[in-house]
């Protein structure tokens, strides 16, 4: 009986250890896309990245009192909020001189557009290939 209990304890320990390593590896694959806004524009006029999970880091360099980020699959109507990729929204509006982040957002191959309606900017292309 002691052997059975010992084996169960060892198996459980390996299971918990494996799960912890898997979670750490998942966090390691999240990359950051840093975007800076100045009055009326993003300084990054277009981006190309590989498929994966990204956090958007938005900096407000005296662009407006508050700025944000809208990401939409290219070809979808960007004026309709239901087409926005909501995980790409910053978690808090970015005030002047600050930087805020979005939640992790998984991007698949294709084209997207990003813009800010608070600091009216053009729509820029984000290509995932």
């Amino acid at each position: 009986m002691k052997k059975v209990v010992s084996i169960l304890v060892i198996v459980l320990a390996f299971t918990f250890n494996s799960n912890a390593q898997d979670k750490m590896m998942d966090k390691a694959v999240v990359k950051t896309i840093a975007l800076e806004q100045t009055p009326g524009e993003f300084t990054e006029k277009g981006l190309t990245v590989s498929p994966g999970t990204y956090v958007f880091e938005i900096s407000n360099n005296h662009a407006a009192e508050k700025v944000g980020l809208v990401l939409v699959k290219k070809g979808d109507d960007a004026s309709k909020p239901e087409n926005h990729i909501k995980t790409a929204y910053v978690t808090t509006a970015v005030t002047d001189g600050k930087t805020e982040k979005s939640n992790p957002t998984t991007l698949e191959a294709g084209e997207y557009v990003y813009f800010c309606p608070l600091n009216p900017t053009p729509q820029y292309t984000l290509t995932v290939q």
Side-chain angles (χ1 to χ4, degrees):
M1 185 66 172
K2 286 183 180 181
K3 284 186 177 182
V4 172
V5 171
S6 295
I7 290 172
L8 283 173
V9 168
I10 291 171
V11 168
L12 286 173
F14 279 115
T15 301
F16 287 124
N17 188 28
S18 295
N19 286 339
Q21 287 178 348
D22 288 346
K23 287 180 183 177
M24 287 175 56
M25 289 180 72
D26 287 345
K27 288 183 179 181
V29 298
V30 176
K31 301 172 191 159
T32 300
I33 295 175
L35 298 170
E36 177 189 28
Q37 288 191 52
T38 58
E41 65 181 359
F42 279 91
T43 56
E44 297 77 14
K45 308 277 190 261
L47 300 165
T48 300
V49 299
S50 56
T53 302
Y54 295 87
V55 168
F56 291 91
E57 186 178 86
I58 309 302
S59 298
N60 181 347
N61 188 359
H62 309 298
E65 186 177 325
K66 293 181 180 179
V67 301
L69 173 75
V70 174
L71 182 68
V72 180
K73 189 88 169 152
K74 194 167 193 171
D76 289 350
D77 186 348
S79 68
K80 294 185 176 181
E82 61 266 21
N83 292 332
H84 297 178
I85 299 171
K86 297 190 180 31
T87 55
Y89 289 166
V90 287
T91 56
T92 303
V94 188
T95 56
D96 188 21
K98 302 290 182 183
T99 300
E100 299 291 344
K101 294 182 179 181
S102 72
N103 288 309
T105 302
T106 300
L107 300 176
E108 298 173 354
E111 288 189 316
Y112 302 81
V113 294
Y114 63 94
F115 64 98
C116 178
L118 301 173
N119 166 35
T121 67
Q123 293 184 4
Y124 302 100
T125 301
L126 169 62
T127 304
V128 181
Q129 58 184 19

